[in-house]
Amino acid sequence: MPKTLICLFTTASVLAMGLTGAMAQEAKEIGIPDSDYSLEALIEAARKEEPITVIDATGKIVTMAENFSAKYGLKATGVKMSGQDQEQVIAREAAAGNVRTDVFNMSNLPSVTSQILPQGFGISWLAPDLKDKIPAAYQSPAITSNNPWVFAYNTDVNGETCPVDNLWALTTEEWKGRVAIPDPLLRNETMFWFNQLATHEDAAMREAYKAQFGEELTTDEASATAEWVKRLAKNQPKVTRSDTDVGPIVGAKEEKPPIGFLSAAIFRDAKKDGYGMGICKEMKPWIGQLTPRVAVIAAGTKSPNTAKLFARFMMTEEGMAPQLGDGKISTNTEAKMPESEVSGIANHVDKLYVNHSETSQDDFAKLQDWQDFWLQHSR
């Protein structure tokens, strides 16, 4: 495993050990009990059940479901769906008592720990035979992977060096209208990140301001982070529906292409479509964020053992392989990112912001506040 990935696990283990108290899910077993668990027993029980539907925010879930079906002879159908839509589906199906979606790989950890698990819409389960391969910080709830989101630039125009090396530069006149981001109102992970920065790293945001402008920050806002968010919103960013739309904007053949905020997976699209894109590896205080994804099994699934088997599959290198090639980082310490991964994010993981999972409830509680704040200043 690359040194940077080892660093990620070490850092995250320190930061995320606070998944206790109200965030902890009450024990609930579905399918065969863990006391009777073996992989063979789980497979045998699954063979008596109906096909399942599995959901993720990436289209790679389709391939993952196909690979699962081929491996175990069990039918799984993969469906791509945004994180916010996933939350609505699991809640509505649970309320209606008509569960049709069995497994979710959910990207909004605060929503999972504050709402979905406590309200009994879903459960989190980790296969007992994988516990020695998954760091404790990622076991409860069962986090399958971390998705790197980075600031990116056009290498065809700017060469090997990003033209921006400080988050505050994005709020200046030079970059007015030249920052492309998925709509934060449609991506809760962005809002959760704002709250994370304000809660844990506001001093670093103040230091970055001084490094950019040569003076101490003076603001009427509650935090330096809030001031940065306000200025970014007011600087007329190019807001898109998803990061799939951000990539082509960054890669546009123009004299002054924008900086973009997107998933490492979009670098694959850039290579396929023939435009140059690189990570803003010089960016301070961080080049982006890591967003965890959580395996959630619908509490009312009619195929609990098949669902558990798929949740286990996602926690292995074989199961997560289609996403590892897109820059996702498996929480399984034995899973390796392929050398063919396009973005090169494995070399820069230590520059990404790692969530403090112990305060994810606060992220969820303040979601609406940050949404209102962004809406107010982006008009």
Side-chain angles (χ1 to χ4, degrees):
M1 178 181 296
K3 184 177 180 180
T4 50
L5 298 193
I6 295 175
C7 175
L8 165 64
F9 285 120
T10 302
T11 304
S13 295
V14 173
L15 297 179
M17 291 302 288
L19 290 173
T20 57
M23 292 174 62
Q25 168 195 356
E26 290 187 9
K28 176 181 180 180
E29 285 194 324
I30 61 173
I32 64 172
D34 283 359
S35 58
D36 296 336
Y37 175 85
S38 71
L39 179 57
E40 294 73 19
L42 185 64
I43 295 171
E44 184 62 29
R47 285 176 175 158
K48 302 172 185 177
E49 297 177 342
E50 302 174 10
I52 61 172
T53 297
V54 297
I55 286 183
D56 200 340
T58 170
K60 293 295 184 181
I61 191 65
V62 176
T63 303
M64 292 169 67
E66 291 171 349
N67 293 346
F68 174 85
S69 299
K71 181 177 179 66
Y72 294 111
L74 301 166
K75 178 62 176 175
T77 300
V79 178
K80 178 181 178 181
M81 184 181 294
S82 72
Q84 275 84 310
D85 287 346
Q86 289 183 46
E87 293 175 32
Q88 293 182 23
V89 166
I90 194 170
R92 288 173 180 172
E93 290 187 357
N98 184 23
V99 173
R100 299 189 177 190
T101 310
D102 305 276
V103 184
F104 301 76
N105 197 25
M106 308 192 81
S107 55
N108 289 339
L109 177 62
S111 301
V112 172
T113 57
S114 298
Q115 184 179 46
I116 292 167
L117 300 184
Q119 293 189 22
F121 301 151
I123 71 164
S124 175
W125 177 81
L126 178 66
D129 58 331
L130 293 184
K131 289 187 176 180
D132 62 342
K133 301 176 177 63
I134 310 296
Y138 296 129
Q139 293 190 12
S140 181
I143 295 176
T144 64
S145 61
N146 284 290
N147 182 17
W149 275 66
V150 298
F151 289 96
Y153 72 102
N154 187 314
T155 56
D156 294 333
V157 173
N158 296 290
E160 295 300 314
T161 304
C162 180
V164 173
D165 63 4
N166 191 308
L167 287 177
W168 287 94
L170 303 178
T171 70
T172 64
E173 184 67 25
E174 179 183 1
W175 291 95
K176 188 172 185 177
R178 295 179 57 208
V179 179
I181 59 172
D183 190 344
L185 298 176
L186 299 177
R187 184 177 184 265
N188 287 351
E189 298 99 314
T190 301
M191 298 298 179
F192 294 148
W193 187 38
F194 293 163
N195 196 63
Q196 283 276 317
L197 295 181
T199 302
H200 299 287
E201 296 291 350
D202 208 58
M205 292 297 286
R206 285 185 175 274
E207 291 173 8
Y209 177 91
K210 186 175 182 179
Q212 176 66 33
F213 299 112
E215 61 184 20
E216 298 290 345
L217 172 65
T218 301
T219 177
D220 294 330
E221 299 301 335
S223 64
T225 301
E227 180 66 27
W228 177 74
V229 171
K230 178 176 71 176
R231 294 190 189 191
L232 180 64
K234 286 181 174 293
N235 216 28
Q236 299 177 10
K238 296 179 182 293
V239 175
T240 67
R241 183 163 184 83
S242 73
D243 60 332
T244 303
D245 303 314
V246 171
I249 294 174
V250 174
K253 297 184 183 302
E254 56 183 73
E255 185 179 351
K256 294 183 177 181
I259 295 294
F261 187 55
L262 41 71
S263 166
I266 304 303
F267 283 78
R268 176 202 63 220
D269 297 336
K271 182 177 181 180
K272 180 183 65 177
D273 295 337
Y275 58 86
M277 193 164 68
I279 296 172
C280 284
K281 55 186 180 295
E282 300 86 2
M283 187 79 82
K284 298 292 178 62
W286 304 275
I287 65 171
Q289 66 168 151
L290 280 170
T291 58
R293 287 191 173 170
V294 191
V296 177
I297 300 171
T301 175
K302 299 178 181 65
S303 302
N305 295 296
T306 312
K308 289 169 72 172
L309 186 60
F310 191 85
R312 181 191 183 280
F313 185 64
M314 287 197 294
M315 305 290 285
T316 66
E317 179 177 359
E318 180 182 12
M320 191 55 67
Q323 295 197 39
L324 297 180
D326 278 350
K328 309 296 190 300
I329 303 167
S330 174
T331 55
N332 189 319
T333 57
E334 295 185 353
K336 298 177 177 61
M337 188 180 294
E339 293 183 5
S340 59
E341 194 276 321
V342 179
S343 75
I345 190 60
N347 298 318
H348 305 290
V349 171
D350 56 346
K351 302 174 187 175
L352 290 162
Y353 182 87
V354 181
N355 277 13
H356 289 241
S357 297
E358 72 273 18
T359 59
S360 64
Q361 280 189 305
D362 186 62
D363 299 337
F364 183 80
K366 294 179 179 175
L367 173 61
Q368 188 64 57
D369 294 338
W370 283 106
Q371 289 174 331
D372 292 344
F373 188 76
W374 178 269
L375 186 62
Q376 173 188 352
H377 295 294
S378 61
R379 289 175 174 172

